[in-house]
Structures are given as C-alpha cells and as structure tokens.
Amino acid sequence: MSKKIAIGSDHAGFEYKTAVLAFLKDEGYIVEDFGAATADSVDYPDFAHPVATSIENGQNELGILICGSANGVAITANKHQGIRAAIAWQNEISALARQHNDANVICIPARFIDLELAKKIVKTFLTTDFEGGRHGTRVNKIACT
C-alpha cells in the first residue's frame, strides 16, 4: 500500500488502536502512531491534534482516531483547516464519508462497536475513493473563509 496513515487514540481507544495498527501493518500500510502509548488515562486532544497536523502538512495522507465515543477526537480534529473527520459506527458510514465527504480522518467509537467491525470500517475507509462531482462542490463549501 502506498498510503501513509496516521493513527492515534486516547486511553479508551488504546486497545483498538493497538489491534488496528497491527492489522494495517499486516496489510502493508505505512502507519505512524501518535499514541497513546498505554491504557492509562490521557486527554484525547493530545493525540487528535498531532494526527490532524500530520495530515495538514502532508506527512500522512489519511488518519484514524479512536476514543470511547469518537466525539472528542472528531471535534478536535475538525478544528484543523482541511481536516474532514467523520465518526463511523457502521461500515456503510465509513464508505459514504469517503465517497461523499472526502473525509480524511475516520473516528472510531471503541465503546460502541466490536473490534472486528472497527477493522472493517478502517479498511473500507482506506480503500474507498472520493466520488467528486456534486460532492466536490459541497465539500468545497465546507471551509470557512
């Protein structure tokens, strides 16, 4: 795989992040892990900001963020210009986030889905292309000027 992927989590997503990271490496992706390094309690912005920044500056192409509900990491990542972070708890939502919204960060709610579904959501996110067209027009209206 040629895509460079950033991944990060807080303590609630640490177990899933560890498993998803191993899964992605087995799939041949180049993955940069921004932490957390343990399941000890941490603050999700400390990991969501570096993942988003790495995409903003072109260091990584896509990002994966995992926390308990996915809300905190999504809100944080979406503060960055050019980041379109989407929460996905079903595989179809992951596909639509890429196809229709050109999402570049997927946010996984570890407390609400099982690990196998999380891996499937991530794989769909990484292998689905943006459709462009009318969706491109809409995506271009997202950024504040």
Side-chain angles (χ1 to χ4, degrees), residues 28 36 55 60 63-64 67 70 72-74 79-80 95 105 113 119 122 124-125 128 139 141 143:
I55 295 163
N60 290 293
I64 301 161
C67 74
V73 292
K79 296 295 183 189
H80 292 255
V105 177
I113 64 172
K119 290 177 189 176
V122 166
T124 295
F125 177 75
T128 301
V139 169
K141 292 181 178 184

Side-chain angles (χ1 to χ4, degrees), residues 28-101:
Y29 288 95
I30 300 165
V31 186
E32 185 172 0
D33 183 358
F34 286 90
T38 71
D40 295 339
S41 183
V42 294
D43 299 329
Y44 57 81
D46 294 342
F47 307 97
H49 283 305
V51 166
T53 298
S54 80
I55 295 163
E56 278 182 310
N57 68 24
Q59 179 180 339
N60 290 293
E61 297 172 58
L62 297 171
I64 301 161
L65 288 167
I66 308 169
C67 74
S69 69
N71 285 308
V73 292
I75 291 167
T76 302
N78 279 320
K79 296 295 183 189
H80 292 255
Q81 287 297 316
I83 297 300
R84 292 170 304 281
I87 299 172
W89 62 95
Q90 294 178 347
N91 197 49
E92 184 178 12
I93 292 170
S94 179
L96 290 172
R98 288 288 301 137
Q99 291 168 342
H100 293 187
N101 308 116

Side-chain angles (χ1 to χ4, degrees), residues 122-145:
V122 166
K123 179 138 187 172
T124 295
F125 177 75
L126 297 177
T127 59
T128 301
D129 292 325
F130 179 49
E131 290 179 356
R134 72 182 191 275
H135 303 296
T137 302
R138 296 168 184 157
V139 169
N140 288 334
K141 292 181 178 184
I142 294 172
C144 294
T145 55

